[in-house]
């Protein structure tokens, strides 16, 4: 595994030399050229293609907003917010000096450009974390008993002065959005509702229930709190008496008694928001991190509940008896030592949530209850060989509506952090569901953070993280990155097909499954073999052992061939 990954790293790294264009091929024969526009950005978080034909980029750790020429890579910093951050760069301060205080997940995050940016409404909307409760406290500044790290996020509107190429005249929309060192989500989007544009902002559940926030209360199901929500704000203030109310639409769904920005609830960490008109209907989509499995694609609707932390992914029962996290801290509540509730029954919880509950339109990738039980049990007992699991960590989302690439029109494009790829999912004709297999592009040892594309759809722009991991480290997360803080341009050249494989259409013969399983098992390191075996159902473990033997008897090979397709599926789920 290590040798194979190192080879991929070398080959991929050789192909992202700045300025040099290389050709890459997609799974349906699409040909793209790839080049680096710029690099060494301080963790680019948002990239948007502006009406000025420049890429607008936020740097999460650098707290800068820049306009970047996609042709030359020339960069103009239009705003430096580093002085608005009321805490230091903890990631650059030795723990011996700051007590090990955490950096928030993100920092300067979302950016949205007003549709009329160059024609009378020169507004740019930004979201950034500006305050840390523990900044002046000793040690880590966390609340006791894993009570969490409390940051605060500010949502601001700036005006773009095109002559000076600067963002000026800030106006605060909201400066009380809770934050954390985990699950801040942080994506901004302008999208219409009933013909009028609004500003949407995603807030994660702040990691309340896992790691250092294991004892922090989780409010994703409580509409009075902004954690675990998609919020909706107006693009311009109204005439409400209170300044804090003027940016909140008066017809928001949870406004009874007090103005409330909540638009939908029950989210874990929705780092992707996208809007598109598909089949004549405008729809708002979100991509969301799952805990160990079940990364979600949701269709966001007014006032609807997406289940977290009572339902994970589809209402299929794979989390029955489990929770969205576990810890080895016996002082924390419940069977799994976390403030995440134990899920007795996903189906019963969905029924309890009522008619407003919504399943995701896609779930990547549901794991079995037996495997998930193994994962949580090992975490709770602090077992050294923690099982690995298959998930993608979707960091953003876009809807490709152009016709430039055959077969791509009305596809969801999902950059991922865990395995460094762009996922494409073809939508159904009316946009209410997913109609294709998971197609994967541009895989490499990077963490893709966001994407944008040119108006004609021929160029895709992908931003990569500067670091290799954030929270919740994964065995398969890229160890080092081949292009740190980069903007990559993928230009469509030719090829592709107008048809997309439908779900369940792919098949594999037993012999092919046997050979693929053999290759996979033989490539595993000894520790990974133990972990993979422990994650299998008991009936499959003896079959797994057959693939470890130097030679099989004829009877054993027949048994292995017969069982290989199901075993391969189980191994790939981990």
């Amino acid at each position: 595994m290590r040798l194979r990954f190192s080879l991929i790293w070398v080959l991929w790294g050789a192909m992202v030399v700045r300025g040099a264009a290389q050709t890459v091929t997609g799974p349906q024969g699409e040909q793209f050229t790839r080049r680096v526009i710029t690099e060494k950005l301080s963790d680019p978080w948002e990239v948007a293609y502006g009406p000025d034909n420049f890429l607008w980029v936020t740097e999460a750790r650098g707290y800068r907003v820049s306009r970047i020429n996609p042709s030359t890579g020339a960069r103009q910093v239009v705003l430096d917010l580093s002085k608005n951050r009321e805490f230091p760069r903890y990631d650059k301060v030795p723990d011996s000096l700051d007590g090990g205080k955490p950096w928030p997940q993100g920092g300067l995050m979302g950016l949205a450009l007003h549709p009329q940016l160059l024609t009378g409404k020169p507004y740019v909307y930004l979201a950034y974390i500006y305050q840390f409760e523990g900044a002046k406290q000793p040690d880590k500044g966390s609340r006791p008993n894993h009570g969490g790290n409390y940051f605060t996020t500010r949502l601001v509107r700036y005006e773009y002065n095109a002559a000076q190429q600067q963002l000026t005249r800030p106006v605060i929309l909201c400066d009380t959005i809770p934050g954390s060192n985990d699950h801040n989500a942080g994506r901004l989007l302008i999208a219409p509702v009933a013909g009028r544009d609004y500003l949407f902002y995603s807030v994660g559940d702040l990691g309340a229930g896992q790691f250092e926030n294991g004892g922090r209360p989780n409010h994703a199901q409580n509409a009075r709190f902004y954690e675990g929500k998609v919020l909706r704000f107006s693009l311009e203030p109204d005439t409400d008496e209170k300044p804090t109310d003027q940016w909140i639409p008066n017809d928001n769904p949870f406004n009874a008694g007090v103005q409330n920005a909540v638009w939908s609830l029950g989210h874990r960490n929705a780092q992707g928001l996208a809007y598109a008109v598909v089949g004549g209907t405008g729809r708002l989509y979100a991509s969301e991190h799952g805990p160990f499995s079940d990364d979600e694609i949701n269709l966001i609707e007014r006032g609807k509940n997406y289940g977290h932390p009572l339902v994970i992914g589809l209402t299929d029962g794979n989390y029955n008896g489990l929770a969205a996290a576990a810890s080895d801290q016996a002082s924390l509540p419940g069977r799994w030592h976390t403030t995440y509730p134990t899920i007795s029954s996903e189906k019963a919880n969905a029924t309890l949530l009522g008619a407003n509950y919504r399943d995701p339109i896609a779930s990547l990738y549901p794991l079995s209850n037996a495997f998930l039980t193994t994962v949580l049990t090992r975490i709770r007992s602090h077992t050294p060989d923690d099982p690995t699991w298959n998930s993608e960590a979707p960091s953003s989302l876009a809807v490709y509506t152009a016709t430039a690439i055959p077969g791509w029109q009305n596809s969801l494009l999902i950059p991922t952090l865990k395995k460094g790829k762009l996922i494409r999912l073809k939508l159904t004709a009316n946009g209410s569901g997913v109609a294709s297999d998971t197609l994967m592009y541009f895989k490499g040892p990077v963490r893709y953070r966001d994407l944008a594309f040119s108006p004609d759809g021929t160029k895709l722009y992908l931003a990569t993280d500067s670091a290799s991991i954030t929270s919740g480290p994964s065995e398969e997360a890229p160890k080092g990155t081949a292009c740190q803080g980069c903007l990559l341009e993928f230009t469509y050249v030719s090829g592709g097909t107008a048809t997309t494989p439908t779900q369940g259409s792919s098949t594999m013969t037993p012999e092919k499954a046997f050979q693929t399983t053999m290759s996979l098992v033989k490539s595993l390191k000894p520790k990974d073999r133990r972990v993979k075996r422990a994650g299998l159902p008991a009936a499959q473990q003896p079959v797994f052992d057959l693939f470890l033997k130097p030679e099989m008897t004829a009877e054993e090979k027949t048994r292995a061939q017969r069982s290989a397709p199901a075993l391969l599926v189980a191994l790939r789920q981990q």
Side-chain angles (χ1 to χ4, degrees):
M1 288 285 283
R2 185 179 301 275
L3 177 62
R4 181 175 64 86
F5 187 87
S6 298
L7 181 60
I8 292 173
W9 195 98
V10 170
L11 292 175
W12 205 92
M15 297 177 73
V16 292
V17 178
R18 185 173 177 179
Q22 301 289 335
T23 300
V24 294
T25 303
Q28 294 192 282
E30 308 96 327
Q31 296 288 317
F32 299 87
T33 58
R34 171 175 53 197
R35 71 180 183 93
V36 178
I37 296 173
T38 191
E39 56 189 336
K40 305 301 182 185
L41 297 171
S42 184
D43 282 287
W45 184 274
E46 185 100 37
V47 52
Y49 194 100
D52 55 355
N53 295 317
F54 276 68
L55 297 173
W56 290 67
V57 180
T58 62
E59 294 175 83
R61 294 177 187 255
Y63 273 67
R64 292 181 293 266
V65 182
S66 298
R67 291 172 66 246
I68 298 175
N69 187 321
S71 298
T72 66
R75 175 186 177 200
Q76 171 69 38
V77 176
V78 296
L79 180 65
D80 186 337
L81 281 168
S82 57
K83 293 183 179 179
N84 295 57
R85 187 186 66 243
E86 299 174 11
F87 53 91
R89 282 288 302 268
Y90 293 129
D91 60 318
K92 291 191 172 184
V93 179
D95 288 350
S96 60
L97 297 180
D98 68 11
K101 289 182 172 61
W103 180 259
Q105 190 176 78
L108 170 56
M109 298 174 291
L111 170 148
L113 305 176
H114 196 287
Q116 298 171 259
L117 179 72
L118 303 180
T119 55
K121 301 285 185 181
Y123 302 133
V124 176
Y125 302 84
L126 298 170
Y128 65 91
I129 294 172
Y130 73 98
Q131 200 172 64
F132 176 42
E133 176 188 83
K136 297 182 179 180
Q137 296 177 8
D139 301 323
K140 291 185 177 181
S142 308
R143 293 193 182 182
N145 195 28
H146 301 275
N149 300 284
Y150 282 69
F151 290 81
T152 310
T153 302
R154 177 179 284 154
L155 191 58
V156 191
R157 187 189 76 179
Y158 281 83
E159 292 188 17
Y160 176 54
N161 186 317
Q164 299 177 4
Q165 293 189 15
Q166 293 292 304
L167 293 179
T168 62
R169 299 169 58 107
V171 177
I172 295 174
L173 282 66
C174 183
D175 62 358
T176 58
I177 299 172
S180 174
N181 68 319
D182 201 7
H183 289 190
N184 283 317
R187 197 63 66 186
L188 272 176
L189 175 74
I190 294 175
V193 176
R196 180 179 177 182
D197 284 333
Y198 293 90
L199 183 69
F200 292 88
Y201 181 64
S202 62
V203 184
D205 73 349
L206 312 184
Q210 67 178 24
F211 306 123
E212 292 183 5
N213 297 281
R216 181 174 184 158
N218 193 289
H219 296 305
Q221 283 295 319
N222 191 329
R224 295 187 297 110
F225 294 85
Y226 283 174
E227 295 104 305
K229 310 297 189 300
V230 172
L231 309 180
R232 184 179 74 149
F233 295 90
S234 297
L235 294 184
E236 298 184 45
D238 61 25
T239 58
D240 287 351
E241 182 177 351
K242 292 183 179 180
T244 53
D245 292 344
Q246 291 175 1
W247 294 93
I248 298 177
N250 293 326
D251 61 346
N252 268 6
F254 299 99
N255 271 357
V258 62
Q259 295 282 75
N260 187 329
V262 172
W263 182 251
S264 63
L265 70 160
H267 300 285
R268 183 173 183 267
N269 192 23
Q271 287 191 355
L273 289 176
Y275 173 86
V277 177
V278 180
T281 301
R283 300 186 188 277
L284 178 62
Y285 302 89
S287 62
E288 190 158 346
H289 291 235
F292 305 102
S293 65
D294 296 86
D295 295 332
E296 296 182 3
I297 307 299
N298 285 303
L299 188 57
I300 303 302
E301 301 176 75
R302 167 191 167 89
K304 297 302 183 282
N305 191 324
Y306 295 85
H308 179 73
L310 302 176
V311 182
I312 308 297
L314 300 168
T315 316
D316 54 8
N318 63 333
Y319 276 84
N320 288 357
L322 306 175
S327 81
D328 61 354
Q329 303 298 317
S331 61
L332 296 181
R335 174 185 177 188
W336 300 107
H337 307 325
T338 169
T339 53
Y340 282 126
T342 298
I343 300 169
S344 58
S345 166
E346 288 187 299
K347 185 176 181 179
N349 286 348
T351 301
L352 184 65
L353 294 177
N356 283 332
Y357 170 74
R358 292 291 184 271
D359 255 354
I361 63 173
S363 182
L364 308 174
Y365 306 92
L367 299 177
S368 70
N369 181 264
F371 176 73
L372 290 168
T373 300
T374 298
V375 173
L376 270 69
T377 300
R378 289 191 169 208
I379 292 173
R380 185 178 58 188
S381 60
H382 199 61
T383 303
D385 290 342
D386 288 338
T388 60
W389 54 86
N390 194 17
S391 60
E392 300 290 0
S395 57
S396 185
L397 182 69
V399 186
Y400 185 93
T401 57
T403 59
I405 308 176
W408 279 46
Q409 187 176 31
N410 296 337
S411 291
L412 298 174
L413 301 183
I414 309 161
T416 72
L417 299 172
K418 185 177 174 183
K419 297 178 182 177
K421 67 182 73 166
L422 179 70
I423 289 176
R424 180 167 74 89
L425 297 174
K426 182 78 170 182
L427 291 166
T428 56
N430 66 3
S432 65
V434 170
S436 74
D437 284 334
T438 303
L439 300 171
M440 302 178 185
Y441 297 79
F442 314 144
K443 187 172 182 179
V446 292
R447 288 168 58 86
Y448 288 125
R449 178 59 63 178
D450 193 24
L451 84 158
F453 30 77
S454 58
D456 65 1
T458 60
K459 297 179 185 294
L460 281 71
Y461 303 96
L462 281 159
T464 71
D465 279 3
S466 300
S468 61
I469 60 171
T470 52
S471 66
S474 164
E475 180 72 19
E476 296 187 64
K479 306 298 192 291
T481 176
C483 202
Q484 298 180 349
C486 288
L487 276 182
L488 303 175
E489 179 187 78
F490 294 85
T491 301
Y492 173 71
V493 177
S494 63
T497 174
T499 61
T500 301
T502 57
Q503 289 182 328
S505 64
S506 60
T507 60
M508 183 178 288
T509 64
E511 179 59 30
K512 177 65 175 177
F514 174 83
Q515 296 297 334
T516 304
T517 304
M518 179 68 76
S519 177
L520 173 60
V521 172
K522 295 293 187 184
S523 70
L524 295 172
K525 295 178 290 185
K527 174 186 173 182
D528 294 331
R529 291 176 182 177
R530 295 195 303 270
V531 169
K532 291 283 189 180
R533 186 184 189 280
L536 293 170
Q540 288 186 328
Q541 291 178 359
V543 180
F544 180 88
D545 294 338
L546 293 178
F547 285 91
L548 294 175
K549 298 183 66 173
E551 291 186 15
M552 297 184 197
T553 66
E555 182 181 349
E556 288 172 338
K557 184 174 181 180
T558 299
R559 181 185 173 197
Q561 287 175 325
R562 185 173 61 248
S563 305
L567 178 61
L568 183 60
V569 169
L571 290 172
R572 283 176 166 173
Q573 283 185 335
Q574 297 185 32

